[in-house]
Amino acid sequence: MVYNDTDDSVDHQLCQDFGLVLSIFSLVYLIVCFPVGLCYNALLVVVNLSNKVSMTMPDVYFVNIAIAGLVLNIVAPVELLGPNFTKWPVWEYNNEIYITLLILFNISSLVIMYSTTLLSLDYYIERALPRTYMSSVYNTKHVCGFIWGGAVLTSFSSLLFYVCNHVSTKIIECSKMQNKEAADAIMMFIGYVVPAVAVFYAFMLILRIRKESTPLDQDSGRLDPSIHRLLLASVCVQFVLWTPYYMTLLVHTLTGVQGNYSDKPWVTTYYFLRCLSELLAFSSSFAMPLMYKQMNKNFSHKLQRLLKRLHCGDQGCAHERSVVQQVVTSSTQQALPPSPCPGFTGVLSVLPLGFGHG
């Protein structure tokens, strides 16, 4: 609408070109990345939650990131098919829907960034102090609960700025808070600067640990080396995909682009880059589950066990029952003392588990 008075200008042509490129990228994401990301995020959550006993510390964090990715998958089609991303919008939405989408996006971004940060710190703890249970599954579950609560509370402060930016100036309290740059500054500092500093510190400690290899590195209780590569790669990929978005928030905070159209090409380029950076941020919900599937050797085995269980139903598969029976029988025979009557031991070995142990 800014360029309605200059339809034949070069600025308008630049705006049209950027809009066409953004529309193509959005449609490609919705056709290819969105269904794959939705499917794999749901699989990651279901497979791990159905195998809670075998979950490790990294699994809990990746489940947490996958849930945040599902929230992004809910926001993505509404946002990408709206007027901000495509020249052929499917729907228009009002300020209330826009604020709701923005808050859900912010909560997901905070959960993803802080889960990634704490994953790197717990990775260092696991490398430096194995078997201390500081980075155990039990502790990680409680930490993830605090992450979601903290993300909601942090987004509430930004919510006040966003809401007051769209309401009447007659409300005295909101008239002093109609500043979207302040909301972006809060998200920039809490959502990116703090996690980036923590991840940088954790990486320095991890590199120091790797240079000083100890006999603990051969400890059988430590995480599999493939998990180490997965943790480092996931942290790097998350920051690569989210950094452009937070950089646009920083630019908006420092320059106050909102409402300033004195330099039209610059404003057009800024909003194009901002939308492109949001598209990259959405793609993190597509990249992370694929990396988890490729680099975590246990995921495919857990998925196969889950599919077999679903296929066999509540009664369990015959193969699994035979394996369990063999394990129970062997453990019962090992627990029994030597008997002077060989046949008596054979009789006890087929008795029920509780009677045999008694």
Side-chain angles (χ1 to χ4, degrees), residues 124 127-130 204-218 222:
Y124 164 71
R127 294 272 301 177
L129 302 170
M204 288 178 57
L205 296 175
I206 291 169
L207 291 175
R208 186 182 304 173
I209 286 288
R210 296 187 70 175
K211 289 179 181 178
E212 302 170 0
S213 110
T214 65
L216 290 174
D217 293 329
Q218 284 76 39
R222 305 188 69 140

Side-chain angles (χ1 to χ4, degrees), residues 54-196:
S54 61
M55 285 180 68
T56 61
M57 175 269 294
D59 293 331
V60 179
Y61 280 120
F62 277 103
V63 168
N64 209 43
I65 293 173
I67 295 174
L70 289 175
V71 177
L72 285 180
N73 287 132
I74 295 173
V75 176
V78 182
E79 183 74 14
L80 297 181
L81 293 176
N84 291 336
F85 279 84
T86 179
K87 296 180 67 175
W88 313 281
V90 178
W91 47 65
E92 302 277 344
Y93 45 76
N94 54 23
N95 289 335
E96 289 75 15
I97 296 178
Y98 168 75
I99 292 172
T100 302
L101 294 176
L102 192 59
I103 294 303
L104 289 176
F105 183 84
N106 287 342
I107 291 174
S108 300
S109 69
L110 289 172
V111 169
I112 289 173
M113 296 301 288
Y114 276 93
S115 296
T116 305
T117 302
L118 293 174
L119 178 62
S120 63
L121 291 171
D122 275 358
Y123 169 66
Y124 164 71
I125 293 173
E126 192 276 335
R127 294 272 301 177
L129 302 170
R131 299 185 182 277
T132 60
Y133 302 102
M134 292 180 65
S135 58
S136 63
V137 175
Y138 176 80
N139 291 335
T140 306
K141 290 179 180 178
H142 290 284
V143 168
C144 290
F146 282 111
I147 290 175
W148 280 98
V152 172
L153 290 176
T154 303
S155 299
F156 182 75
S157 60
S158 299
L159 174 63
L160 292 178
F161 285 100
Y162 289 124
V163 169
C164 289
N165 194 51
H166 292 85
V167 299
S168 174
T169 56
K170 294 179 181 179
I171 304 177
I172 300 176
E173 290 79 6
C174 278
S175 63
K176 300 176 181 178
M177 296 179 63
Q178 290 186 350
N179 190 350
K180 192 173 182 296
E181 289 80 5
D184 290 341
I186 292 173
M187 287 300 302
M188 173 65 194
F189 179 76
I190 298 176
Y192 184 80
V193 175
V194 175

Side-chain angles (χ1 to χ4, degrees), residues 15-23 80 82-89:
C15 181
Q16 292 294 323
D17 293 341
F18 280 162
L20 181 60
V21 171
L22 199 60
S23 300
L80 297 181
N84 291 336
F85 279 84
T86 179
K87 296 180 67 175
W88 313 281

Side-chain angles (χ1 to χ4, degrees), residues 277-294:
S277 66
E278 287 186 30
L279 200 57
L280 279 177
F282 281 127
S283 66
S284 68
S285 64
F286 160 77
M288 293 310 298
L290 288 181
M291 288 180 55
Y292 182 84
K293 176 186 175 297
Q294 286 295 119

